[in-house]
PDB file of all heavy atoms in Angstrom:
ATOM      1  N   VAL A 210      19.671 -18.405   6.341  1.00 98.00           N
ATOM      2  CA  VAL A 210      19.750 -17.099   5.864  1.00 98.00           C
ATOM      3  C   VAL A 210      21.018 -16.483   6.052  1.00 98.00           C
ATOM      4  O   VAL A 210      21.553 -16.582   7.265  1.00 98.00           O
ATOM      5  CB  VAL A 210      18.509 -16.125   6.499  1.00 98.00           C
ATOM      6  CG1 VAL A 210      18.674 -14.649   5.843  1.00 98.00           C
ATOM      7  CG2 VAL A 210      17.260 -16.730   5.982  1.00 98.00           C
ATOM      8  N   LEU A 211      21.694 -15.807   5.150  1.00 98.00           N
ATOM      9  CA  LEU A 211      23.012 -15.231   5.342  1.00 98.00           C
ATOM     10  C   LEU A 211      22.686 -13.723   5.510  1.00 98.00           C
ATOM     11  O   LEU A 211      22.090 -12.993   4.797  1.00 98.00           O
ATOM     12  CB  LEU A 211      23.887 -15.479   4.186  1.00 98.00           C
ATOM     13  CG  LEU A 211      24.183 -16.922   4.176  1.00 98.00           C
ATOM     14  CD1 LEU A 211      24.153 -17.489   2.691  1.00 98.00           C
ATOM     15  CD2 LEU A 211      25.488 -17.256   4.861  1.00 98.00           C
ATOM     16  N   LEU A 212      23.340 -13.235   6.692  1.00 98.00           N
ATOM     17  CA  LEU A 212      23.046 -11.913   7.016  1.00 98.00           C
ATOM     18  C   LEU A 212      24.258 -10.950   6.552  1.00 98.00           C
ATOM     19  O   LEU A 212      25.353 -11.438   6.380  1.00 98.00           O
ATOM     20  CB  LEU A 212      22.826 -11.668   8.524  1.00 98.00           C
ATOM     21  CG  LEU A 212      21.639 -12.385   9.074  1.00 98.00           C
ATOM     22  CD1 LEU A 212      21.489 -12.195  10.462  1.00 98.00           C
ATOM     23  CD2 LEU A 212      20.412 -12.051   8.319  1.00 98.00           C
ATOM     24  N   ALA A 213      24.056  -9.601   6.541  1.00 97.00           N
ATOM     25  CA  ALA A 213      25.066  -8.710   6.017  1.00 97.00           C
ATOM     26  C   ALA A 213      26.294  -8.827   6.873  1.00 97.00           C
ATOM     27  O   ALA A 213      27.440  -8.585   6.415  1.00 97.00           O
ATOM     28  CB  ALA A 213      24.475  -7.300   5.848  1.00 97.00           C
ATOM     29  N   ASP A 214      26.104  -9.034   8.168  1.00 96.00           N
ATOM     30  CA  ASP A 214      27.383  -8.990   9.090  1.00 96.00           C
ATOM     31  C   ASP A 214      28.089 -10.363   9.026  1.00 96.00           C
ATOM     32  O   ASP A 214      29.047 -10.594   9.765  1.00 96.00           O
ATOM     33  CB  ASP A 214      26.786  -8.721  10.442  1.00 96.00           C
ATOM     34  CG  ASP A 214      26.150  -9.878  11.114  1.00 96.00           C
ATOM     35  OD1 ASP A 214      25.811 -10.939  10.394  1.00 96.00           O
ATOM     36  OD2 ASP A 214      25.703  -9.764  12.391  1.00 96.00           O
ATOM     37  N   GLY A 215      27.683 -11.180   8.115  1.00 96.00           N
ATOM     38  CA  GLY A 215      28.425 -12.486   7.776  1.00 96.00           C
ATOM     39  C   GLY A 215      27.885 -13.691   8.562  1.00 96.00           C
ATOM     40  O   GLY A 215      28.218 -14.798   8.433  1.00 96.00           O
ATOM     41  N   SER A 216      26.863 -13.292   9.547  1.00 96.00           N
ATOM     42  CA  SER A 216      26.344 -14.462  10.210  1.00 96.00           C
ATOM     43  C   SER A 216      25.408 -15.254   9.495  1.00 96.00           C
ATOM     44  O   SER A 216      24.914 -14.885   8.526  1.00 96.00           O
ATOM     45  CB  SER A 216      25.731 -14.084  11.605  1.00 96.00           C
ATOM     46  OG  SER A 216      24.787 -12.998  11.371  1.00 96.00           O
ATOM     47  N   ARG A 217      25.080 -16.510  10.005  1.00 97.00           N
ATOM     48  CA  ARG A 217      24.276 -17.451   9.253  1.00 97.00           C
ATOM     49  C   ARG A 217      23.137 -17.763  10.348  1.00 97.00           C
ATOM     50  O   ARG A 217      23.456 -18.133  11.461  1.00 97.00           O
ATOM     51  CB  ARG A 217      25.112 -18.692   9.057  1.00 97.00           C
ATOM     52  CG  ARG A 217      24.702 -19.566   8.069  1.00 97.00           C
ATOM     53  CD  ARG A 217      25.680 -20.779   7.844  1.00 97.00           C
ATOM     54  NE  ARG A 217      24.927 -21.974   7.408  1.00 97.00           N
ATOM     55  CZ  ARG A 217      24.748 -22.092   6.070  1.00 97.00           C
ATOM     56  NH1 ARG A 217      25.223 -21.334   5.240  1.00 97.00           N
ATOM     57  NH2 ARG A 217      24.075 -23.141   5.727  1.00 97.00           N
ATOM     58  N   LEU A 218      21.917 -17.664   9.695  1.00 98.00           N
ATOM     59  CA  LEU A 218      20.756 -17.970  10.611  1.00 98.00           C
ATOM     60  C   LEU A 218      19.973 -19.131  10.072  1.00 98.00           C
ATOM     61  O   LEU A 218      19.311 -18.945   8.948  1.00 98.00           O
ATOM     62  CB  LEU A 218      19.857 -16.624  10.485  1.00 98.00           C
ATOM     63  CG  LEU A 218      18.913 -16.334  11.558  1.00 98.00           C
ATOM     64  CD1 LEU A 218      19.576 -16.179  12.884  1.00 98.00           C
ATOM     65  CD2 LEU A 218      18.194 -15.039  11.234  1.00 98.00           C
ATOM     66  N   PRO A 219      20.094 -20.244  10.741  1.00 98.00           N
ATOM     67  CA  PRO A 219      19.340 -21.452  10.290  1.00 98.00           C
ATOM     68  C   PRO A 219      17.818 -21.191  10.535  1.00 98.00           C
ATOM     69  O   PRO A 219      17.448 -20.506  11.336  1.00 98.00           O
ATOM     70  CB  PRO A 219      19.938 -22.555  11.152  1.00 98.00           C
ATOM     71  CG  PRO A 219      20.944 -22.001  12.003  1.00 98.00           C
ATOM     72  CD  PRO A 219      20.754 -20.493  11.947  1.00 98.00           C
ATOM     73  N   TYR A 220      17.010 -21.774   9.685  1.00 98.00           N
ATOM     74  CA  TYR A 220      15.615 -21.638   9.758  1.00 98.00           C
ATOM     75  C   TYR A 220      15.020 -22.960   9.488  1.00 98.00           C
ATOM     76  O   TYR A 220      15.439 -23.910   8.868  1.00 98.00           O
ATOM     77  CB  TYR A 220      14.968 -20.665   8.770  1.00 98.00           C
ATOM     78  CG  TYR A 220      15.055 -21.042   7.292  1.00 98.00           C
ATOM     79  CD1 TYR A 220      14.144 -21.913   6.724  1.00 98.00           C
ATOM     80  CD2 TYR A 220      16.097 -20.391   6.473  1.00 98.00           C
ATOM     81  CE1 TYR A 220      14.283 -22.191   5.360  1.00 98.00           C
ATOM     82  CE2 TYR A 220      16.192 -20.743   5.078  1.00 98.00           C
ATOM     83  CZ  TYR A 220      15.238 -21.663   4.554  1.00 98.00           C
ATOM     84  OH  TYR A 220      15.317 -21.959   3.168  1.00 98.00           O
ATOM     85  N   SER A 221      13.739 -23.211  10.178  1.00 98.00           N
ATOM     86  CA  SER A 221      12.885 -24.375   9.959  1.00 98.00           C
ATOM     87  C   SER A 221      11.900 -23.873   8.914  1.00 98.00           C
ATOM     88  O   SER A 221      11.652 -24.631   8.006  1.00 98.00           O
ATOM     89  CB  SER A 221      12.310 -24.754  11.239  1.00 98.00           C
ATOM     90  OG  SER A 221      11.527 -23.729  11.869  1.00 98.00           O
ATOM     91  N   THR A 222      11.309 -22.750   9.156  1.00 98.00           N
ATOM     92  CA  THR A 222      10.383 -22.143   8.256  1.00 98.00           C
ATOM     93  C   THR A 222      10.823 -20.598   7.937  1.00 98.00           C
ATOM     94  O   THR A 222      11.381 -19.961   8.887  1.00 98.00           O
ATOM     95  CB  THR A 222       8.939 -22.156   8.767  1.00 98.00           C
ATOM     96  OG1 THR A 222       8.541 -23.417   9.009  1.00 98.00           O
ATOM     97  CG2 THR A 222       7.930 -21.469   7.851  1.00 98.00           C
ATOM     98  N   LEU A 223      10.717 -20.285   6.741  1.00 98.00           N
ATOM     99  CA  LEU A 223      11.176 -18.978   6.432  1.00 98.00           C
ATOM    100  C   LEU A 223      10.011 -18.162   5.814  1.00 98.00           C
ATOM    101  O   LEU A 223       9.260 -18.649   4.980  1.00 98.00           O
ATOM    102  CB  LEU A 223      12.394 -18.928   5.363  1.00 98.00           C
ATOM    103  CG  LEU A 223      12.953 -17.621   4.820  1.00 98.00           C
ATOM    104  CD1 LEU A 223      13.588 -16.948   5.910  1.00 98.00           C
ATOM    105  CD2 LEU A 223      13.903 -17.906   3.649  1.00 98.00           C
ATOM    106  N   VAL A 224       9.874 -16.833   6.281  1.00 98.00           N
ATOM    107  CA  VAL A 224       8.803 -16.044   5.708  1.00 98.00           C
ATOM    108  C   VAL A 224       9.397 -14.796   5.235  1.00 98.00           C
ATOM    109  O   VAL A 224      10.109 -14.065   5.784  1.00 98.00           O
ATOM    110  CB  VAL A 224       7.722 -15.589   6.766  1.00 98.00           C
ATOM    111  CG1 VAL A 224       6.666 -14.834   6.098  1.00 98.00           C
ATOM    112  CG2 VAL A 224       7.090 -16.940   7.385  1.00 98.00           C
ATOM    113  N   LEU A 225       9.160 -14.541   3.888  1.00 99.00           N
ATOM    114  CA  LEU A 225       9.659 -13.373   3.225  1.00 99.00           C
ATOM    115  C   LEU A 225       8.664 -12.241   3.338  1.00 99.00           C
ATOM    116  O   LEU A 225       7.515 -12.394   2.816  1.00 99.00           O
ATOM    117  CB  LEU A 225      10.014 -13.580   1.716  1.00 99.00           C
ATOM    118  CG  LEU A 225      11.024 -14.807   1.606  1.00 99.00           C
ATOM    119  CD1 LEU A 225      11.139 -15.142   0.083  1.00 99.00           C
ATOM    120  CD2 LEU A 225      12.365 -14.354   2.171  1.00 99.00           C
ATOM    121  N   ALA A 226       8.833 -11.202   4.008  1.00 99.00           N
ATOM    122  CA  ALA A 226       7.949 -10.026   4.197  1.00 99.00           C
ATOM    123  C   ALA A 226       8.872  -8.836   3.830  1.00 99.00           C
ATOM    124  O   ALA A 226       8.851  -7.854   4.642  1.00 99.00           O
ATOM    125  CB  ALA A 226       7.371 -10.009   5.564  1.00 99.00           C
TER     126      ALA A 226
END
Side-chain angles (χ1 to χ4, degrees):
V210 176
L211 295 139
L212 302 181
D214 68 359
S216 59
R217 198 181 155 83
L218 201 59
Y220 66 80
S221 55
T222 299
L223 177 64
V224 182
L225 303 173

